[in-house]
Amino acid sequence: MLFSLIRFSLLGLLPPVLFAQAPADTVRVMSYNIHHGEGIDQVLDLERIAKLILDAKADIVGLQEVDRGVERTAKRDLPAELAKLTGMTIHFEKNIAHQGGEYGNAVLTRFPIKSARNTHFKMTQPGEQRGVQQLVLDVRGRDVLFLNTHTDFKPNPEERALNAAELKQMVTQAGKMPVIMVGDFNALPTSPFITTIKTFLSDAWELIGQGNGFTIPVQKPNRRIDYIFVTKETVTPVHMEVISSIASDHLPIIAEVRLR
């Protein structure tokens, strides 16, 4: 057992059962591309995704690649099922119609949702419409802007620059409100897209993460494309991990943050 814990620590991966309850003044934030609930074993299993979230004691979870009423997932309402399994409130936003249903992103939260909207990113060429959720949450009496997104994998510099500008505008419009942004950005930390984002938000992994933070592919991770970003002046990351799981084709990440 001790050897296993050391091995996971060296890889930057910790099983969710190792997480302790967060202190009262911190918030546990997760980002997870759930691949419509299908693991690398090709099994659709929302129960293990929900268990992972509960074991990690996440307070807010940004989910990407979520189906609702889609043929490939037997027309099931995955957001509603995850809300029931976790006991959390969920807010789903459709970005495209797919196989008779809806496909997009969702946020699970233990905090009241004061407002919510979804913005479709500007596109410069044909492709899958992507979007970003913008939720204002009441976190123990304080408003927090939570952004959840899944940006395109196509390395189009013009479109990526537009998307980064749109995200910056959202953060700027939040004023002094703490901002937490999570998602699958389909870009490496050294890419121009992520480099631009880091001019107005801090990459939590670069601040406190241990190891490489790789999140894909699950069996032999070699890239970091999933992120948690925070406003430098108002949010302080105090702990962050990549969690080991086969429940999706991405590994989930979780950060414990303190609002200043």
Side-chain angles (χ1 to χ4, degrees):
M1 180 64 177
L2 179 59
F3 173 78
S4 297
L5 297 184
I6 293 172
R7 179 170 60 86
F8 276 119
S9 297
L10 290 174
L11 291 174
L13 310 175
L14 282 179
V17 294
L18 296 182
F19 287 99
Q21 182 67 49
D25 63 341
T26 64
V27 178
R28 300 183 74 86
V29 179
M30 178 182 285
S31 182
Y32 198 9
N33 180 327
I34 64 169
H35 191 232
H36 57 267
E38 182 181 305
I40 60 171
D41 56 1
Q42 299 184 326
V43 175
L44 174 62
D45 188 345
L46 293 188
E47 285 78 9
R48 64 183 171 186
I49 290 176
K51 185 178 187 303
L52 184 153
I53 292 168
L54 293 172
D55 285 347
K57 296 182 172 59
D59 297 305
I60 314 170
V61 186
L63 302 171
Q64 304 88 42
E65 296 196 13
V66 183
D67 283 0
R68 183 164 68 180
V70 176
E71 185 68 36
R72 68 181 171 192
T73 45
K75 300 284 186 178
R76 291 165 60 178
D77 187 337
L78 302 193
E81 290 185 39
L82 285 169
K84 184 176 181 180
L85 288 167
T86 60
M88 301 169 76
T89 300
I90 197 156
H91 186 81
F92 170 81
E93 292 284 1
K94 165 192 169 184
N95 288 322
I96 63 169
H98 186 62
Q99 295 182 1
E102 300 174 316
Y103 176 72
N105 303 317
V107 174
L108 284 164
T109 176
R110 300 190 187 281
F111 302 112
I113 300 173
K114 298 185 70 172
S115 66
R117 61 179 299 185
N118 188 57
T119 299
H120 285 166
F121 283 119
K122 296 175 182 176
M123 301 173 65
T124 60
Q125 62 184 25
E128 180 186 317
Q129 179 65 65
R130 305 295 176 115
V132 53
Q133 292 182 278
Q134 304 138 72
L135 278 67
V136 175
L137 304 176
D138 179 354
V139 180
R140 306 185 185 107
R142 186 169 185 181
D143 289 353
V144 174
L145 177 61
F146 186 79
L147 306 178
N148 177 42
T149 189
H150 183 194
T151 59
D152 208 330
F153 64 89
K154 297 190 299 294
N156 183 313
E158 181 183 358
E159 190 167 303
R160 290 270 178 157
L162 283 173
N163 297 164
E166 291 175 275
L167 293 172
K168 182 177 181 179
Q169 183 178 22
M170 294 172 193
V171 173
T172 301
Q173 290 176 341
K176 296 182 179 180
M177 190 187 309
V179 179
I180 301 170
M181 180 170 72
V182 310
D184 172 3
F185 288 80
N186 274 308
L188 299 176
T190 55
S191 68
F193 182 44
I194 298 300
T195 300
T196 301
I197 291 174
K198 289 190 290 188
T199 63
F200 57 90
L201 289 173
S202 295
D203 177 357
W205 188 267
E206 289 189 353
L207 293 177
I208 57 167
Q210 300 294 317
N212 50 47
F214 293 160
T215 57
I216 193 171
V218 167
Q219 291 174 309
K220 292 184 178 180
N222 59 22
R223 302 189 301 281
R224 182 162 77 96
I225 62 174
D226 300 272
Y227 298 83
I228 295 176
F229 294 101
V230 299
T231 39
K232 304 172 184 178
E233 301 81 7
T234 52
V235 183
T236 302
V238 294
H239 185 72
M240 189 168 182
E241 302 288 353
V242 179
I243 303 174
S244 179
S245 174
I246 65 165
S248 171
D249 63 348
H250 283 242
L251 296 173
I253 54 176
I254 187 163
E256 189 173 307
V257 303
R258 180 173 290 114
L259 304 180
R260 284 189 275 165

